[in-house]
Every structure is written in structure tokens, then in C-alpha cells.
Amino acid sequence: MKKDIILSGVGGQGILTIATIIGEAATAEGINLKQAEVHGMSQRGGDVQSNLRLSDKNIYSDLIAQGKADMIISMEPMEALRYLPYLHEEGWIITSANPFKNIPDYPEDDELVNTLESLPHVVKLEIEDIAKENNMPKCANVILLGMAAKYIEILSPEQLRESIGRVFAAKGEKIVEMNQRAFDIGLNAVK
Amino acid sequence: MAEKELLLGDEAIALGAIHAGISGVYAYPGTPSTEITEFIQNNPLAKERKLHSTWCTNEKTAMEAALGMSYAGKRALVCMKHVGMNVAADAFVNSAITGVNGGLVVLAADDPSMHSSQNEQDSRFYGKFAMIPILEPSSQQEAYDMMGYAYSLSEDLKLPILMRVVTRLAHSRAAVEVAVIHEENQLNPDNERTHWVLLPGNARKQYLELVRKQKEMEESSSKSPYNCLENLNSEHDYEFGVIACGIGYNYIKEADRDDSHIPVLKVSQYPLPENEVRTMAANCKYILVVEDGQPFVEGMVKAFLSKDYEVKGRLTGTLPRTGELTPDNVSEALGREVKCSFGKSQVVMPRPPALCQGCGHRDVYDALNKVVTEYPNARIFGDIGCYTLGALPPFRAIDSCVDMGASITMAKGASDAGVFPAIAVIGDSTFTHSGMTGLLDAVNDHANITVVISDNLTTAMTGGQDSAGTNKFEAICLGLGIEPEHVRVVVPLPKNMEEITRIIREEIEYKGVSVIIPRRECIQTLNRKLRQKRADKS
């Protein structure tokens, strides 16, 4: 089995934390992994993405080929669409529905929604709003991971939940609990 | 089971170097190489061994300090981004002439596709130019393993080794199996003087010695565990074979999942193993060269095979002439169709990076833009750092950005030619890296320029590393001979706009070199410190 995942968003939204949690879970389960990240200039409010490749076989390329991504997990709806040429025809888009508008020519809301809804496999949710309602504004990225958890398949939601415990352990029990709660909110929001 | 760690390519290099027994890393931050030194700074074994890991002022001082450590018999690592090689080049090229005592590895991280750079120069040319071995790992595991190998090779050949990586390896994570941990070398300064003193008489001998070593280097490449010929049976003829350099090998292996058994010469150590290339040419109708960066191997192969033998690659357009390799362009070069189910979406707009909200550079550009409306002939020479983003909207404030330190010297040259006002904008770390010498030129020549050292107390673009000149800028400027009344310090905040614009006007009107230092901490490092403080409290 293999899962090629593109994580996307805007610099500072926390996609690398999602990658770290998935990566930690994969390593604990002995699943092969390669994860290409973006560092440097683009992190200053520009578009960022990470290619995350998981497989029970050897992985060579650090990058995902066009048309081969099984999932796009995005912190931002327009950023989800940026990587469409990489999505497999059966692939899923799991995205935040809250736009991040820091450019003057950001598309109209309904244009964006219509484009997303024209695609066959999309799950979207206002994760920023949910995070605020639940008093965990910094955990929107982990809510998103919860939403994606059932589709990752090569790792179970339980394995990801345990990985959150290990990744945040150094920050104390409170932070671990809050992030696991965020994960569950995302997980339960998707039927 | 051996211990496995999930590491960035950069981190694998760092851990490999620590385990190879280095006594120090010398570096100036630069994407995509920064994480190597950062990893060593935070590694427990490195701390226990008290390995040198503080940042250097620039790549040249780094290279020279590492050569000094090697002279003393210990193993040293130098790290930089590709353009840093230009700065270190004098010391680098001559270190091949002196040779080394303790093992010395120079790590150059290239950035094909210019993700965070101003060009995509290929550091392998520097290795060939200096006539030393080059290593180019194809994976994180190889990057780790190669460090031990590189230090042995360096001490065997008594030469520095260039290790070249690209962004995609430097910034990609994979599990790495950790091997043996070596002790550091004992202090053992070289007692032989002549080969370290490059007077022409000595240098000529040393150069001949370097030429003599080329054969050993070639033999080492030929039997290197990192070079191998795969899927080639000398009894058979093939349509084509591939020379796959560094991570180019991965894209070929990925394409080969359909078991088409493409003959491949994997190259991760140079000089290029010529015999293996000839074997491939004898059995394949043509050779495709898959290499990240510039057509380095392609040009060499073309030069030593017969004139009518067909070699394909970036020069023939089989692969794109510019930009990094991808699974897609390599597939296409192999004649495979790349299938997309979904096209590019028309609603997606570019989202370029921007200066952070609350960043002091913003206030500097606001002030400069206000003042220069009064001077229609003004030119603002920029430099390398976050503040280069001042070229983009809404500021559009700078007219140039070329190389580290060029703002000051270009402003001076333009002023010499008659441009007024000629203004330079340079960051604190870039100023100490390569701006100070240019400022001395300007002072000695009584140039009429205004230099803005936008000081945010850190090397911000690469993530907030220590900046060599922090707390020293006024003293440096005075020491270089700027008149004390023309070294002006301001706090770049919107509420001080009136004061800042007044000072800029005054210094533009002063006929001589003036320095304005807007000083306010980087918003990123400030927030990081505040978060840390809160975490420590709770």
C-alpha cells in the first residue's frame, strides 16, 4: 500500500506540524516515508507545501509525480486547488473552507466554492471557526488532520492520535490533551 | 535492530559529521544549508564534545577557520549555500593546493529552481575547478553514510572533499539508520611548513602534487561504493542507458517500478568514472544524463565519447535547460506520458511571500518611499535578506539586489557616475558579511551615499540565527571613518515616521557617507522569545 499526500497552506499555518505527526506515526509503525518540506523565503506569508510519501515498499523520489497524489490536505481552500494537477483521479481533497486573504486578487468566495464542489472527492470544513468556538485557535491544523484521518488508511486514526501524544509530550499534558481533543473534533466532524 | 531516526537531508549530514568525529562546523546561514549547523548546535553529543558550532561572519571566514582546524589535525566541516561558494572560493580553491591535515569536508547546498536564491549555479563546477573529489548523495541515508567515508577519503588523499546536495535532499525527511560513532582526532598540528606556505616556489610543487593525485581520485571513484552500474549485461545491446547523478537516480528508480530494467550508471562520486561511462556507451545506442543543476556531466561525457555518439540531457532539451529535476520531467525524458486527471485551476492566484506584519523593514520602506518622492532621480540599491521583499508591492522600493553587500558598493559606483541621491539598504547580518569593506571604500573615496543598515538584531530570512555585528554597528561605522554626527540611530515604528523621514532627508543632503541605523528586533524572533517565556512560566 502507498499514500502520496500533498500538504498545503500559507506560511505559518502549521502544515509542517501535520507532517510531523503523520511522519512520527509512520516511523513508529515501520512504514517507509519521505517528506519534502519548504523552508526559507516562501515561509513569509507565501504559499507552502509539503510532499509526504508513505509506503510499505521502498520510496525513491522525494517528490510526488503529477496525477499520483492520493490526497491533498490543505489549510486553505485556494491553496488546495493550486496542486490539482498532482491529484489522482480517485484522490481526495481535505481542506479548510476558511480563506486566508493576503493578496489583492484573491478569488471571489463563490468562485472558489463552485470550483471545489465541481470536484468528485472533497471534504471541507470551517476549521478556523471551529477552533475558535472550541477555544483552541492554535489547533486548526490538528482539527484538519482529524478530518483527514479516515482517508489516510495506511495509518489508523488511533495511531495518529497516539502520535499526537508523543509529538506534543514535551509541551506538557494540557497541550497534548487539547490537541487530541482537536483531532477528535475533526475526526467526528467527517461521517 | 539498528537505531533509525527521521532526519532531513541536512540533519543526516550533520549527524554523519558528528559521528565521523568532527571537532567543529563553520558556516554562514543560507537556505538550504542552514539546518546542518543548527542541528549540530543542538545535538547532545556535539554539546558534550563542545564541538565548535557558532556562526561565522561569512563563508570565507568559515572556510579559513575550518582549514585552520584541519591544519591542527582535527576534522572540520564547512557548510554554505551555493552562492556562498563564490565568497569562499579563494580559500576553497587554495585549500586544494595546500592540501589538508585533519579531514576537511566542504558542504555546498545548491538550489536548482531558485526556491530561495538568486541563481542556480552548480557547485560541482567548483569541485572540478579546484580538482578535488566531489560527493553527491542520492538519499538521506547516503548523506549520513557518506560523511564518515568523506573524512577517511580526505585524510587518505590529504585533500578537502566537496559534498554537494540540492534543496530537495537537504529539505526532505526520511528514516536514517545510524552507524558507528568515531572519536575526535587528537590535536596534531602539521609540522611540515612548505605545503602550507603558498609562495610560488612551493605552490608549483603543490600544484603538481594535486595533478598527480588525480589518478588516485579517479580510481577511488571507479571503485566507490556510491557509484554503480545497474541492469547492464555486456553481452546485450540496449536502446539507451542513463547516467543518473545524485537524486536524479531516485527519479529513474521511481520510473523503473514497472520493471523495465533501464541500464543505469549511478554517480554519487566524482571525478566521473569514465570507464563505466565507456562500458555503457559500448552497449547502449545513446546515453541520457539525468543530473540536477547545470549540464556538468552531460558536457564532460560529450567531450570524451566519440563525436557522433548521441548524448541526451539538458543541452539537447530532453530535460529542461533550467529548474530542478522532477519525477515528471524525468518520466518525459524517458518517453513516458505524464497523465493529469485535473488541469490547473483558473481561480488559483500567485501568493508571493511578503514582509511580516509588524516588521521594522516595513517602516523603513514606508519612510524611504515618502522621502524619495521628493527626489525623482533617487535610486535605492537593495541587498540580500527579508528586506529584498521590499522590491514587491506594496513597497516597490528597491532598484537592485545582486549579491551579499552589493547595495553599498553599487550605490557608491552609481554615485561616482553621478546618481543622486544614491541610497543603499542592507540588513545587519549582510552588512557584517560583506558590507563593511565596501563602506570603507566609500569613506576613503568621500563618496556621496546614504547607507541604511536595517538592523533587526538577527539573520532573519534563514530563521533567526545570531548576527555577527549585533551591538557593534555604531562602533564599526565610526571605526571605518564615518563622521560621528552622520551615524544616526532610529527606531522604525509608525509613530516615529516624522523623525525618520527628517533624518533621511538630512543625510541625503549631507555630501558624504552617512549611515542610518533603524533598529528594532525581528517580529519573528521576538514572538518566539515571548512564546518561550510563556511556556517557561506555565
Side-chain angles (χ1 to χ4, degrees), chain A residues 105-150:
Chain A
D105 49 358
Y106 194 90
E108 296 296 326
D109 290 357
D110 53 347
E111 239 184 320
L112 206 54
V113 171
N114 291 344
T115 311
L116 275 169
E117 285 179 350
S118 72
L119 297 165
H121 307 297
V122 176
V123 180
K124 61 178 168 41
L125 215 56
E126 278 80 7
I127 54 166
E128 307 279 348
D129 301 345
I130 297 172
K132 275 180 206 144
E133 281 161 25
N134 286 279
N135 229 353
M136 45 173 76
K138 303 255 164 172
C139 298
N141 55 349
V142 181
I143 296 177
L144 181 71
L145 175 63
M147 281 166 64
K150 283 176 190 158

Side-chain angles (χ1 to χ4, degrees), chain A residues 37 39 58 62 79 100, chain B residues 35 172-173 254 257 351 354:
Chain A
E37 300 174 3
H39 298 211
N58 250 337
D62 298 274
E79 292 309 323
F100 187 101
Chain B
E35 292 81 358
S172 176
R173 257 173 235 283
E254 204 71 52
R257 280 196 194 280
R351 197 190 299 260

Side-chain angles (χ1 to χ4, degrees), chain B residues 5-83:
Chain B
E5 287 189 48
L6 197 55
L7 297 175
L8 287 177
D10 274 350
E11 296 170 342
I13 290 161
L15 191 62
I18 296 167
H19 289 178
I22 58 162
S23 297
V25 59
Y26 294 87
Y28 181 80
T31 312
S33 70
T34 314
E35 292 81 358
I36 302 169
T37 304
E38 287 185 326
F39 184 92
I40 296 173
Q41 287 171 341
N42 295 311
N43 177 269
L45 177 60
K47 281 184 188 168
E48 186 192 307
R49 289 184 172 182
K50 298 191 171 62
L51 305 188
H52 176 277
S53 64
T54 48
W55 293 105
C56 301
T57 302
N58 66 34
E59 293 85 356
K60 179 173 179 285
T61 67
M63 179 71 216
E64 290 157 349
L67 189 60
M69 182 170 267
S70 161
Y71 171 89
K74 299 201 174 190
R75 292 182 166 186
L77 174 65
V78 194
C79 307
M80 64 197 81
K81 70 180 294 168
H82 60 338
V83 285

Side-chain angles (χ1 to χ4, degrees), chain A residues 9-10 20 23-24 27 32-47 49 53 57-68 76 78-79 81-91 100-103 105-107 111-112 115 119-120 138, chain B residues 4-6 8 31 35 115-116 138-140 167-169 171-175 247 249-251 253-254 257 324-328 338-356 385-386 388-389 460-464 522 524 531 534:
Chain A
V10 181
T20 306
E24 210 277 345
T27 312
N32 294 316
L33 164 120
K34 277 208 170 182
Q35 181 202 326
E37 300 174 3
V38 173
H39 298 211
M41 194 174 246
S42 341
Q43 284 176 300
R44 302 273 171 271
D47 57 277
Q49 51 85 20
R53 311 195 64 204
K57 297 202 180 70
N58 250 337
I59 304 170
Y60 293 100
S61 168
D62 298 274
L63 298 177
I64 298 168
Q66 294 196 357
K68 294 287 170 65
E76 210 279 343
M78 184 182 81
E79 292 309 323
L81 295 172
R82 192 180 300 279
Y83 305 98
L84 267 189
Y86 289 88
L87 192 63
H88 189 269
E89 65 184 319
E90 296 299 322
F100 187 101
K101 299 183 183 176
N102 64 345
I103 48 169
D105 49 358
Y106 194 90
E111 239 184 320
L112 206 54
T115 311
L119 297 165
K138 303 255 164 172
Chain B
K4 273 195 174 180
E5 287 189 48
L6 197 55
L8 287 177
T31 312
E35 292 81 358
H115 297 281
S116 277
S138 67
S139 68
Q140 292 78 356
T167 304
R168 287 304 171 190
L169 178 64
H171 285 169
S172 176
R173 257 173 235 283
I247 65 167
Y249 177 74
N250 299 336
Y251 302 127
K253 295 302 280 185
E254 204 71 52
R257 280 196 194 280
E324 66 184 343
L325 295 174
T326 67
D328 306 313
V338 174
K339 275 180 268 176
C340 292
S341 303
F342 306 95
K344 273 197 173 143
S345 171
Q346 297 305 312
V347 299
V348 178
M349 294 295 142
R351 197 190 299 260
L355 289 171
C356 305
C386 287
T388 315
L389 295 171
M461 177 101 278
T462 45
C522 163
Q524 295 282 345
R531 274 199 302 272
R534 273 199 298 269

Side-chain angles (χ1 to χ4, degrees), chain A residues 164-176:
Chain A
I164 290 171
R166 294 188 294 267
V167 168
F168 290 102
K171 295 190 172 173
E173 211 165 294
K174 262 193 203 158
I175 301 286
V176 170

Side-chain angles (χ1 to χ4, degrees), chain B residues 375-381 399 410-423 447-450:
Chain B
Y375 296 92
N377 297 322
R379 290 292 185 274
I380 300 183
F381 299 88
D399 298 295
M410 281 186 69
K412 179 192 177 292
S415 167
D416 292 347
V419 169
F420 174 79
I423 302 167
N448 186 16
I449 62 169
T450 306

Side-chain angles (χ1 to χ4, degrees), chain B residues 230-253:
Chain B
E230 296 175 8
N231 299 331
L232 191 130
N233 178 340
S234 56
E235 316 261 291
H236 283 123
D237 285 331
Y238 302 86
E239 177 64 18
F240 72 100
V242 177
I243 298 177
C245 308
I247 65 167
Y249 177 74
N250 299 336
Y251 302 127
I252 296 297
K253 295 302 280 185

